[in-house]
Amino acid sequence: MVLAVVVGLLAFPGAPTEFRLVPFLVVVVAFFVTDMVSLHVEFRRQTWAWSVSEFALTIALIEVGGVWAAAARVLGLGASMAWQRYSWAKVVYNLAVSVVEVAAAVTVLRVLPFGALADPVSWLCLLVAVLVANLVGTPLVFAAIRLSGGNPSRRLWKELLLPIGVVAPFAVSVGLVAILLSTLTGWAAVLIAPAAAAVIVLFRRFAQVSRAGQGLERIYDFARRIEAVSGREDGSLEIAMAVKELLNADKVALWLPPYLDEAPRLVVAADGGAGWYDGPGDPDDLVRRRALEPGSDGPVLVLAGRASAAETAALARRGAQEVLGAPVATAAGEPGYLEVCDRRSDVVSFSEGDRAALDSMLTHVNAAIRAQQLLTQIRYDADHDRLTGLPNRQRLAVEIDTLLAADPVGARAGLVLASLDNLTEIVDTLGHAAADELLLVTAGLLREHAPPDALVARMEGEQFAVLLPGLSLDAAERAARRLREATSTRARVAGLDLEVTLTIGVAAAPVHGTDSGMLMQRADVALLAAADGPGVASYHQVLDQQSLRRLQLGTELEQAMADGQISVVFQPIIDARTSDIVSVETLVRWAHPRFGAIPPDDFIHLAEQIGRIGDLTDHVLDLALARCRRWLDQDIALSVAVNLSARCLSEPDLVERVQRALRLHGVPGELLILELTEGSVVDDSVRSSTVLAELHALGLRLSMDDFGTGYSSLSQLRQLPIDEVKIDKSFVLGMSTSQGESFIARSIIELAHNLGLRVVAEGVEDELTRKLLTEMGCDKLQGFLVSRPLPDERLESWLLARTGVRSAAPGAQHRRLFVRA
């Protein structure tokens, strides 16, 4: 205001020009009418209103001039802002700015050669004066925005460029035409009035189109922003923030129903960081209930000026004047709820246009929420058992390590490892379905009778685990005995009453170990002892004598490879679409002369522990490539896949050894596939090294084995030279009977293909599963439906009996095998 007074005194020196009432009133009315039709440009709590007031300003400068032009501007603008109910602070500030603008225009006309109106030079002077007025007023408004805590962006300048650069010159031209016509005849008003009305109508239409264009651009930016939040932990809050910014709202709430092991969530994006407010989390709230009603016609809009008593109460509990509410789709089936409260602008309110905009945004919001929940599902399945829903071994290990790391000195915990007796006999007698039913019953019993703060987990096969935080060894032993007694019962399974009996091994931290690996290993040793005795046993060092067998196997490992005790079997993998045999997976076996068949997991883990995993890998790789070479000699191209231990990736000469083996057998790199575990691929030391890239540079392919059982996500694979993923058989075995498992398999296939990866499905055992996977676009299939793992001589017989030979594909050198129908 002080600036306006100073500028006015400088710009309007001396006595004012002669006052003419009629032109003065005409100009006041012109200012009022033009300011009533505005283009609103919002910036947080501030709103820039742009009108065609240049039309009225042009007439004022010519007809009344000087101080009377400023007075007319003040009266017209003041009446317009009062009519639109602006705050008094804004009215005073904008009136002061208008005085400065008129003063700037008058000063420019005084400096420039402004003369007779018929002279085109005078027209140019008027145009320059009006543009200078705009350029003087704009920074003053921006300064007000900055002083109020805002920081005008480039977008705001961009949105004002068209009104300043195009609309203002047009308005000046129309004003000049109106004045020139009026000097010819008084009847010119008949032409001027419709022309002026047309200018206002056109500007109003321009304002509508401009707002629509701004809205589309912001929705496009909103969609791009939403696409980037699906994999983030704070994705729900980011969605709410994006809606808040797009609609320039005071606060936005997003309520999501319970999903998997997550409780219902309410996230709030609000100025000041408020994390909660009353209303959106209440299922009986009027606005939320109305928005979630089946068959509702889009988002609900409640305005204080048109609210019923019940709606007024709903607004009051939120402390809001206007609310937009809408349902959102979730993977859980139950709809979520999105609520937008109060436009931050003190001029613009929510309207039907904002209701339509929110409706169009819901498509992107729904997609983002479903994508986020899909990743949650994948992460959940990665550390939970598919059958029982309990945490799996990997999750248990994380929980144990987290618990012990929280207090390395004083942390205590008991670990109970429980094995369900006679499960193998039940599988052999009643089948897998009955065994699964019994496992579910056992899981329920353990959940019911374990202490409240215990963590119940499913290990492999018939084994469960119970983590008992804070218990000493003696307390853990007592808890284990109570648990065994409580779960010893009879259960109705497959029409029979079956005995549920658990054998339990107990270990405790810190006396038996200070990390998950040691604690689980010693609980397992105790479980082996309990199976031979009382049913419940605790770990003791004496029990390690029973591990002498493992030590003996370790000393015999190298000789066993030399003597041919350690051999390989091959399991064919076929193209899902053509049934071509594209590769065989090489699986290692040990036929011990005294102990019989040694489970691969036992001696592979043993080889890792004693540092012989590299020798074992080289042995398997040599056998696999030798088999591949024999196929090449028969003019048949068939890839071989070899599993690579995580420990091998840290060996410095791995790449050199693989290259040497390929060269020794004369096998091209593209016929070798190395299968890696999830844990090895996402390990920080591996990701930061070049070993995967160097292996890939040999021409061979890298495959991630058993995908979905670890902690990786497909998004991590973008950073690694992985060619394919193998869906773990736990996701595949139940596809024909479980819609949820089919959903996970389909999601992995689609996400992998989006990343340019091929997908292999393990565990395909029936035609229905094969058909489902083929329809989903899975690239390769592996499982008992195709063939069991076969030793070399039986594989040769199987190939002769079950396969045919295709001629080489165009551009290929070798023939291909296919499985005959």
Side-chain angles (χ1 to χ4, degrees), residues 727-763:
I727 305 176
D728 185 68
K729 63 183 178 182
S730 62
F731 296 100
V732 176
L733 289 174
M735 281 182 56
S736 58
T737 57
S738 171
Q739 185 177 0
E741 293 185 358
S742 294
F743 173 75
I744 295 301
R746 182 186 299 275
S747 302
I748 293 175
I749 292 170
E750 290 178 354
L751 289 171
H753 283 169
N754 288 338
L755 293 174
L757 305 176
R758 297 177 68 81
V759 181
V760 183
E762 298 180 299

Side-chain angles (χ1 to χ4, degrees), residues 171-235:
V172 171
S173 299
V174 175
L176 278 169
V177 170
I179 296 298
L180 289 172
L181 285 175
S182 65
T183 59
L184 298 177
T185 173
W187 290 101
V190 177
L191 300 175
I192 295 171
V199 170
I200 294 174
V201 170
L202 287 173
F203 181 77
R204 183 173 183 178
R205 180 58 182 165
F206 162 76
Q208 293 172 346
V209 172
S210 179
R211 280 195 294 270
Q214 295 167 11
L216 287 174
E217 184 178 353
R218 291 185 180 185
I219 288 177
Y220 175 70
D221 291 342
F222 170 82
R224 288 192 302 178
R225 181 176 177 182
I226 288 296
E227 286 177 0
V229 306
S230 58
R232 294 171 49 178
E233 292 293 332
D234 60 344

